[in-house]
């Protein structure tokens, strides 16, 4: 056959340590039909500060693959909520082969067509809280690339027609496909008139949706005469691929005929008619993927030597359960994103008769509905059983209803199908089923009532059970409970929802309490973070006593909003919010930075230097300018390192210039007294430095409640030490003679220069020099 190669790639994305499904990176691909092989090239590389991260540690990267919907992963081995079905997926772990780059390859032979999803993440970290911008973090970037090779011009088989084929010596196989419409109960593939070798050295393989594999349904034509391969309960509205493969070492040319017979479940004794007036009547796509093949029209296609001929009569054996029952549709009512209710006509109470099943269909839209949770609930009306030991079984299957026999209704499984089983009876009258990230398409629910006897379950007689049926699509399971938050996530144009748990709760629906915080611990952590702000009361008292009223107002503002921000920021149920969370966070950050700013500006004592007459304009201008610039910086990035270091360093620079100017002018170190350095400045600086070190290097998610409370205590304590004493007013004894000079007068208050608190310590002298 002729192969065509397609190439798809995605933009590299930064991977994150796994905490919940909200921390993974999801990639969406679409594999076309008739694909024989798909190769994913998984590229991973490190970066640190915009350069190659050769010094970054090697961290394993886990990649998950799933067809039809995102993978439901559980790398932390937490418990899923009750009544939750976990679909399987394939996982691959990448190891590093180079210092800063590694690649991995994942091959899928004959993959299922349609949507494929890749999920990737790093292993769970230690939970260290790092300050943004303190150092260059190691980034692990992941980029998947997809290469597909697909066949074109695959011959299309038509039900009831015979296709002749000659297999040359150098050919090993022939591939065909046939479309199976709805309400088909059986697909029968037969190889006829095999000539050219002793016996019929052919294998016959059949598979739905994609070309057959080595483990697909197989029949050896040498051992079975006639060579017929049947598929009961085939998938509706899908292509079935037929592969005729030659045994190895068989010489010469082999000629044979292939025919396909589809059995209509509504007419089990009749095969489908060989010709239909239009493609719409046959329920087949207009495009068959074969440029040189047949196209449905209003008349039968002409015959050719290697194509279709007049149909031959194929006996159709009536099997038990080939009769199908009417499928009742559901009404789709979209309320919001991933919030869809499926209403049953003349429901929600459903009558299940004893002689036949009740079948319903739930249609999930392609791509759009695969990012939520499919919920199903059955509730039995016990009063309708009339005292009989009746059990109502429900089988939820994808793309085909499963109603072939009693045993199937109990197990919901066949050789080629596997569904989800629900059951309700007089003892357990309620049954639920949740399927996170369901595959899109048609889901069929078959309800059947059976009576329990000594020999097992048997059909009931004259008992019609009544069941309340509820089916809906939700973003998350139970909205993630009280200890979780349901988040709507987006990757390119694909939307999906996931829970983000808090207070130590884990699991897909935040129901795993193995590491959960107790109520007492939550209360203790909240009290620690809130009451530790009371340490700002002494700095407020000192500021008021020293007539630093503006600084005292800033400290009160910080204490108030820090208390209520942490009361609102708690992960558990001990939460109290007086305003919106974003407002409280902004005010807390602004108050913290303004406290540092006004304290350092007050320590600079700018008034006597810039304005000798005591004009208070300069500090107030800096206070206002700092408030405006800090507000702008916090609006840009609240967690950036320079939001704290920028104003602190700038204020310290102003203070250093002011102190240096005094030192040069007086030819003496400022502050001049050793007591000020020993008992105030050095202890305050050490306390502030210890607080910064704890905040930047020690704080983790586990010790956050304790370390951050200590941070509050240390910062408030350092302010009490660093705040300068009260500035004493200048008492002039009279005008002194002035010398001609440059035209300005500089007044120096010796009491202030000495940094003394008690006015009785030294006499007040005003020395004016021109």
């Amino acid at each position: 056959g002729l192969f065509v190669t397609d190439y798809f790639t995605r933009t590299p994305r930064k991977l994150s340590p796994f905490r919940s499904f909200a921390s993974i990176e999801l990639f969406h691909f679409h594999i076309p039909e008739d694909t024989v092989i798909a190769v994913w090239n998984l590229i991973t590389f490190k970066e640190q500060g915009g350069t190659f991260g050769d010094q970054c540690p090697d961290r394993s990267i886990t990649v998950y693959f799933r067809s039809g919907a995102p993978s439901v992963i559980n790398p932390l081995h937490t418990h899923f909520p009750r009544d939750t079905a976990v679909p399987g997926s394939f996982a691959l772990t990448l190891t590093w082969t180079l210092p800063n780059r590694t690649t991995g390859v994942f091959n899928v032979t004959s993959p299922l067509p349609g949507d494929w999803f890749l999920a990737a993440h790093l292993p769970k970290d230690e939970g260290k809280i790092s300050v943004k911008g303190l150092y260059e973090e190691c980034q692990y970037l992941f980029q998947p690339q997809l290469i597909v090779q697909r066949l074109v011009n695959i011959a299309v088989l038509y039900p009831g027609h015979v296709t002749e084929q000659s297999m040359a010596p150098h050919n090993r196989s022939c591939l065909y496909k046939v479309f199976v419409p709805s309400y088909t109960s059986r697909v029968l593939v037969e190889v006829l008139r095999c000539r050219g070798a002793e016996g019929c050295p052919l294998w016959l393989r059949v598979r739905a949706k994609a070309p057959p594999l080595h483990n697909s349904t197989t029949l050896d034509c040498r051992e079975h005469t006639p060579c017929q391969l049947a598929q009961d309960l085939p998938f509706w509205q899908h292509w079935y691929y037929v592969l005729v493969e030659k045994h190895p070492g068989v010489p010469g040319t082999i000629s044979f005929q292939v025919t396909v017979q589809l059995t209509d479940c509504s007419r089990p004794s009749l095969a489908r008619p060989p010709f239909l007036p239009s493609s719409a009547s046959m329920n087949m796509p207009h495009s068959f993927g074969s440029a040189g093949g047949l196209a449905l029209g209003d008349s039968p296609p002409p015959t050719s030597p290697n194509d279709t001929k007049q149909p031959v009569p194929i006996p159709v054996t009536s099997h038990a359960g080939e009769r199908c029952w009417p499928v009742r549709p559901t009404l789709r009512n979209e309320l919001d994103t991933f919030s869809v209710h499926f209403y049953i006509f003349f429901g929600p109470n459903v009558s299940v008769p004893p002689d036949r099943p009740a079948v319903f269909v739930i249609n999930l839209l392609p791509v759009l509905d695969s990012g939520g949770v499919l919920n199903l609930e059955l509730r039995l009306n016990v009063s309708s059983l009339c005292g009989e030991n009746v059990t109502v079984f429900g089988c939820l299957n994808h793309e085909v209803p499963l109603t072939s026999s009693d045993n199937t209704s109990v197990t919901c499984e066949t050789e080629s199908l596997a569904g989800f089983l629900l059951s309700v009876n007089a003892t357990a009258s309620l049954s639920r089923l949740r399927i996170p990230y369901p595959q899109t398409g048609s889901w069929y629910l078959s309800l059947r009532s059976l009576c329990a006897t000594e020999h097992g379950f048997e059909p009931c007689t004259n008992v019609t059970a009544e069941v309340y049926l509820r089916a809906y699509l939700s973003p998350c399971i139970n909205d993630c409970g009280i200890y979780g938050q349901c988040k709507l996530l987006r990757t390119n144009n694909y939307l999906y929802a996931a829970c983000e748990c808090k207070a130590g709760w884990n699991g897909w629906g935040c129901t795993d309490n193995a590491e959960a915080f107790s109520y007492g611990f939550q209360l203790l952590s909240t009290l620690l973070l809130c009451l530790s702000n009371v340490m700002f009361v002494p700095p407020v008292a000192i500021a008021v006593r020293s007539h630093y009223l503006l600084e005292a107002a800033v400290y009160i503002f910080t204490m108030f909003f820090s208390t209520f921000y942490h009361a609102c920021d708690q992960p558990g149920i001990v939460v109290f919010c007086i305003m919106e969370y974003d407002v409280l966070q902004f005010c807390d950050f602004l108050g913290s930075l303004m406290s540092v700013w006004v304290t350092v500006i007050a320590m600079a004592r700018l008034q006597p230097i810039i304005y000798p007459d005591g004009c208070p304009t300069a500090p107030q201008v800096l206070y206002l300018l700092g408030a405006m610039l800090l507000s702008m910086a916090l609006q840009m990035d609240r967690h950036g390192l320079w939001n704290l270091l920028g104003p602190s360093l700038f204020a310290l620079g102003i203070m250093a210039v002011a102190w240096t100017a005094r030192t040069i002018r007086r030819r003496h170190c400022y502050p001049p007294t050793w007591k000020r350095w020993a008992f105030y400045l050095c202890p305050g600086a050490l306390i502030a430095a210890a607080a910064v070190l704890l905040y930047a290097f020690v704080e983790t998610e586990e010790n956050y409640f304790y370390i951050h409370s200590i941070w509050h205590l240390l910062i408030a304590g350092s302010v009490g030490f660093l705040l300068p004493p009260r500035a004493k007013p200048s008492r002039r004894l009279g005008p002194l003679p002035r010398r001609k000079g440059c035209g300005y007068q500089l007044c120096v208050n010796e009491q202030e220069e000495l940094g003394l608190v008690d006015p009785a310590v030294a006499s007040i002298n005003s020395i004016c020099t021109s």
Side-chain angles (χ1 to χ4, degrees), residues 559-592:
M559 179 177 62
F560 178 84
F561 281 102
S562 179
T563 299
F564 287 100
Y565 164 67
H566 286 290
C568 185
D569 189 47
Q570 295 308 300
I573 60 175
V574 186
V575 179
F576 179 72
C577 299
I578 62 172
M579 300 180 186
E580 292 185 2
Y581 176 82
D582 188 71
V583 176
L584 292 173
Q585 186 186 64
F586 178 84
C587 294
D588 172 63
F589 286 22
L590 179 62
S592 301

Side-chain angles (χ1 to χ4, degrees), residues 4 18 22 134 162 213 234 317 340 350 361 499 592 612 656 694 726 728:
V4 174
F18 183 83
L134 184 61
V162 175
L213 297 169
T317 305
V340 182
V350 177
V361 61
C499 288
S592 301
L694 287 176
R726 175 182 178 182
K728 299 303 181 292

Side-chain angles (χ1 to χ4, degrees), residues 74-146:
N74 187 22
L76 302 181
H77 306 289
T78 57
H79 297 289
F80 280 87
R82 293 183 57 187
D83 308 319
T84 302
V86 183
S89 60
F90 186 84
L92 178 68
T93 301
L94 302 180
T95 57
W96 293 90
T97 57
L98 297 175
N100 56 13
R101 182 185 177 92
T102 187
T103 57
V105 178
F106 180 68
N107 299 336
V108 180
T109 304
S110 298
L112 297 177
D115 300 306
W116 278 73
F117 294 88
L118 273 67
H121 65 82
L122 296 172
K124 184 181 179 180
D125 59 3
E126 300 176 354
K128 185 179 183 304
I129 301 177
S130 58
V131 181
K132 183 179 178 180
L134 184 61
Y135 55 88
E136 297 293 344
E137 297 183 358
C138 290
Q139 296 184 359
Y140 299 82
L141 302 179
F142 178 75
Q143 180 183 22
Q145 299 173 346
L146 174 62

Side-chain angles (χ1 to χ4, degrees), residues 548 601 604-620 623 662 727 746-747 752:
Y548 290 106
I601 295 300
R605 288 187 179 272
L606 299 177
Q607 299 176 7
I609 296 180
I610 301 178
Y611 292 92
D613 294 331
C615 180
T617 305
Q620 270 65 19
Y623 291 154
R662 284 192 176 91
L746 183 62
C747 298
E752 177 196 357

Side-chain angles (χ1 to χ4, degrees), residues 251-576:
T253 302
I254 300 177
S255 62
F256 56 90
Q257 296 177 346
V258 180
T259 183
V260 177
Q261 185 71 36
L262 303 182
T263 303
D264 192 332
C265 66
S266 61
R267 294 174 294 176
S269 61
L270 299 177
R272 287 190 179 273
F275 299 115
L276 293 175
S278 65
S279 60
S281 300
M282 196 174 179
N283 206 8
M284 295 180 68
H286 292 279
S287 175
F288 295 93
S290 177
L294 299 176
L296 280 178
D298 295 335
S299 61
T303 60
S304 59
N306 290 327
D307 218 321
T308 60
K309 288 187 176 181
Q310 292 296 327
V312 296
I314 298 176
V316 179
T317 305
S318 179
H319 293 268
E322 282 186 350
R323 181 182 178 187
C324 58
W325 305 101
V327 177
R328 297 176 59 179
T330 55
L331 178 63
R332 179 187 178 93
N333 184 18
E334 296 187 7
L335 303 178
D336 203 346
T337 305
F338 300 131
S339 182
V340 182
H341 284 197
F342 299 95
Y343 294 102
I344 301 172
F345 292 97
F346 309 106
N349 293 323
V350 177
S351 297
V352 183
D355 56 340
R356 60 183 176 87
V359 185
F360 304 88
V361 61
I362 300 172
N363 293 314
L364 300 184
L365 299 181
V367 180
L368 297 178
D369 293 342
S370 62
V373 180
L374 179 61
N375 301 268
L376 194 64
E377 181 179 321
L378 292 179
R379 189 187 300 273
L380 178 64
N381 185 0
V382 181
S383 61
S384 65
L385 303 182
C386 301
E388 297 288 337
N389 190 8
V390 179
T391 301
V392 177
F393 291 95
C395 282
L396 184 66
N397 293 83
H398 190 225
E399 297 175 337
V400 61
L402 189 58
T403 59
S404 61
S405 65
D406 294 345
N407 293 333
T408 302
S409 298
V410 173
T411 62
C412 277
E413 291 183 3
T414 63
E415 294 180 357
S416 59
L417 295 176
F420 302 98
L421 176 65
L422 299 92
S423 63
V424 288
N425 52 35
T427 304
S429 61
L430 178 63
S431 180
R432 292 189 179 94
L433 176 66
R434 303 183 180 97
I435 305 177
Y437 297 159
Q439 292 179 309
T440 55
S442 298
W443 287 83
Y444 294 91
L445 175 64
S446 304
L447 299 178
R448 189 161 192 174
S449 60
L450 298 174
C451 289
T453 63
E454 297 177 355
H455 306 287
F457 289 98
E458 295 180 357
C460 300
T461 57
N462 300 326
V463 177
T464 300
E466 187 177 277
V467 177
Y468 170 83
L469 175 61
R470 183 187 180 201
Y472 60 97
L473 194 70
S474 63
C476 300
I477 297 178
N478 292 336
D479 202 22
C480 303
I482 61 174
Y483 289 103
Q485 181 182 8
C486 186
K487 288 193 172 183
L488 185 63
L489 308 172
R490 182 177 66 89
T491 170
N492 293 333
N493 293 326
Y494 180 74
L495 292 175
Y496 60 102
C499 288
E500 191 171 71
C501 305
K502 54 187 179 181
W505 289 75
N506 294 305
W508 194 262
C510 300
T511 56
D512 190 339
N513 59 353
E515 301 178 358
F517 301 158
S518 64
Y519 179 81
F521 181 81
Q522 297 179 39
L523 181 61
L524 176 62
S525 60
T526 304
L527 292 177
L528 282 176
L529 290 171
C530 295
L531 297 182
S532 58
N533 289 284
V534 180
M535 189 63 183
F536 274 96
V537 172
V540 170
I542 295 174
V544 171
R545 181 175 179 272
S546 301
H547 290 189
Y548 290 106
L549 300 183
L550 189 146
E551 287 80 357
V554 172
Y555 300 153
I556 295 175
F557 179 90
T558 303
M559 179 177 62
F560 178 84
F561 281 102
S562 179
T563 299
F564 287 100
Y565 164 67
H566 286 290
C568 185
D569 189 47
Q570 295 308 300
I573 60 175
V574 186
V575 179
F576 179 72

